[in-house]
Amino acid sequence: MDQTPQAAKPNGGGVANGKSHAHNDSAEARERLMSDLKQAVQDAETWLRNATSANSEDLGMVKAKFEDTLRTAKRDLLKLEDSVIARGKMAAQATDHYVHDHPWKSVAAGAAIGVIVGLLIARR
């Protein structure tokens, strides 16, 4: 009997750690993306300000830096998108497992939500 609760803990802990890790990755990717986008805007402003007075070599360097910042921002945006999709899939799987394990609770919750939405719509 003691082995069953201990065997259940690693599975639950793995899911919780996976969610926490995914959340940290997502937050980190958002921060990188925001930083890259701010840098891209600053680079664009610098490029536009200096466009009239700069020579072609300076302009080329600023343009290359700007393009590099945009590439980095796009890459971070794709990573963030992948992270959000992965978290959505994990939530869908968890919901699917819960509904299969507790069908009557799921039916009751759905009915309660339907009643609440119906009452809200009827008020208007």
Side-chain angles (χ1 to χ4, degrees), residues 59-78:
L59 204 57
M61 287 187 342
V62 172
K63 181 180 176 186
K65 183 180 177 191
F66 177 68
E67 288 172 345
D68 184 50
T69 304
L70 280 178
R71 271 193 299 275
T72 303
K74 286 179 185 178
R75 185 183 70 236
D76 289 344
L77 184 60
L78 290 174

Side-chain angles (χ1 to χ4, degrees), residues 98-112:
Y98 181 82
V99 168
H100 281 94
D101 292 343
H102 307 286
W104 289 111
K105 285 183 181 179
S106 301
V107 168

